[in-house]
Amino acid sequence: MRGVHHAPAKSGLNSAAGRLTSGGAILLAPAGRPAYIFTDQSPSGLFGGWPERAAFFVLGTDIERPHHEGLEARIADAVAPTIEHMGYELVRVQVSGKERPVVQIMADRADEAPFRVEDCEAISHAVGAVLDVEDPIRGEWTLEVSSAGIDRPLTRAKDWNRFAGHLAQVELQVPQEGRKRLKGIALGADAETARLRLEDGSEASIARSNIRRAKLVLTDDLIAATAAPASQDPDDEDASPGPDGKPH
């Protein structure tokens, strides 16, 4: 699922109505206020492309944030404390486009419960307000908030460890043993190194600082492993509590 926030000064919307559609929930804010659009997307088509880099740093707390550079780093530094306070974790910030840049915020629930439309909405409102104040991008811009999806990027050690045993593909900045792209079963990671069991059965230890991009490969096993239990149907408002511990 994905939320879209248009910069308030550019939105031009004059409706305060909210409605549900077959594709998700749409909320239109009054004129001069941010507009948010939430839609459900298929997992395989939601996050085309790769994260910019998969290196990371660890804060003084136990929350690990992905590494970003330049404009993306400034945005990540601005929004991460807010979403962490709300019970979410930052997975990736990615900025694309020039004429009207799209700022994509990818997040997880800290409790690892299924990500819902309500989560997109909460993060979009909070992050939109932060970016309106910080104003990191000149002119018109669009904010997209999404879950990490099934075939998610592996940007933190916890991603590698949580999805150990599943197929992943990695692109390196500098070739390792003559190879710049690797594919195999994720075996986990620590602060310095990620490990893969390659298709030939050998094991590769990869310096995480050398990983340019890494993501899971969509497989039947991964889909089955990440499927929400019936008792936690994302469409069931009473199925699971929000990240603040309160049912929604």
Side-chain angles (χ1 to χ4, degrees), residues 68-81 90 93-95 102-105 127 130-131 134-137 143:
H68 296 88
E69 297 179 347
L71 175 61
E72 291 167 347
R74 294 197 297 274
I75 293 172
D77 289 345
V79 306
L90 184 65
V93 173
Q94 183 168 281
V95 180
V102 175
V103 179
Q104 184 193 58
I105 305 294
V127 167
V130 170
L131 295 183
E134 296 292 332
D135 197 22
I137 300 176
L143 173 64

Side-chain angles (χ1 to χ4, degrees), residues 45-129:
L46 184 55
F47 312 115
W50 293 83
E52 287 301 314
R53 286 188 63 188
F56 76 105
F57 64 91
V58 179
L59 304 180
T61 68
D62 60 355
I63 298 177
E64 180 186 346
R65 294 179 186 168
H67 173 79
H68 296 88
E69 297 179 347
L71 175 61
E72 291 167 347
R74 294 197 297 274
I75 293 172
D77 289 345
V79 306
T82 295
I83 68 172
E84 288 165 4
H85 181 73
M86 297 168 63
Y88 301 98
E89 295 179 359
L90 184 65
V91 175
R92 185 182 75 185
V93 173
Q94 183 168 281
V95 180
S96 60
K98 294 182 179 180
E99 185 172 337
R100 182 169 185 161
V102 175
V103 179
Q104 184 193 58
I105 305 294
M106 189 178 288
D108 276 337
R109 285 174 53 126
D111 61 6
E112 299 185 0
F115 210 84
R116 305 174 304 174
V117 171
E118 291 83 359
D119 297 313
C120 264
E121 180 179 10
I123 295 174
S124 293
H125 278 282
V127 167

Side-chain angles (χ1 to χ4, degrees), residues 1 20-25 39-41 114-119 228-240 248:
M1 58 189 63
L20 293 176
T21 71
S22 59
T39 58
D40 290 331
Q41 304 266 341
F115 210 84
R116 305 174 304 174
V117 171
E118 291 83 359
D119 297 313
S231 61
Q232 292 188 357
D233 186 341
D235 294 327
D236 183 353
E237 294 185 355
D238 298 324
S240 61
H248 294 294

Side-chain angles (χ1 to χ4, degrees), residues 78-216:
V79 306
T82 295
I83 68 172
E84 288 165 4
H85 181 73
M86 297 168 63
Y88 301 98
E89 295 179 359
L90 184 65
V91 175
R92 185 182 75 185
V93 173
Q94 183 168 281
V95 180
S96 60
K98 294 182 179 180
E99 185 172 337
R100 182 169 185 161
V102 175
V103 179
Q104 184 193 58
I105 305 294
M106 189 178 288
D108 276 337
R109 285 174 53 126
D111 61 6
E112 299 185 0
F115 210 84
R116 305 174 304 174
V117 171
E118 291 83 359
D119 297 313
C120 264
E121 180 179 10
I123 295 174
S124 293
H125 278 282
V127 167
V130 170
L131 295 183
D132 289 342
V133 172
E134 296 292 332
D135 197 22
I137 300 176
R138 296 180 180 179
E140 296 184 348
W141 52 275
T142 299
L143 173 64
E144 296 184 358
V145 172
S146 66
S147 66
I150 298 178
D151 50 343
R152 59 182 296 136
L154 302 172
T155 62
R156 305 165 296 172
K158 68 176 296 180
D159 300 325
W160 282 88
N161 294 327
R162 178 182 175 188
F163 294 98
H166 292 285
L167 188 62
Q169 55 190 24
V170 179
E171 181 180 338
L172 304 177
Q173 298 188 76
V174 178
Q176 180 171 316
E177 297 183 357
R179 303 175 65 179
K180 197 168 184 178
R181 291 178 174 83
L182 304 173
K183 187 175 183 180
I185 302 300
L187 299 177
D190 57 26
E192 303 295 335
T193 305
R195 296 179 297 117
L196 276 180
R197 181 179 297 113
L198 303 179
E199 294 172 309
D200 63 5
S202 63
E203 183 175 320
S205 294
I206 308 164
R208 294 187 60 203
S209 59
N210 190 34
I211 295 177
R212 179 176 176 80
R213 305 177 177 112
K215 70 188 294 284
L216 293 175

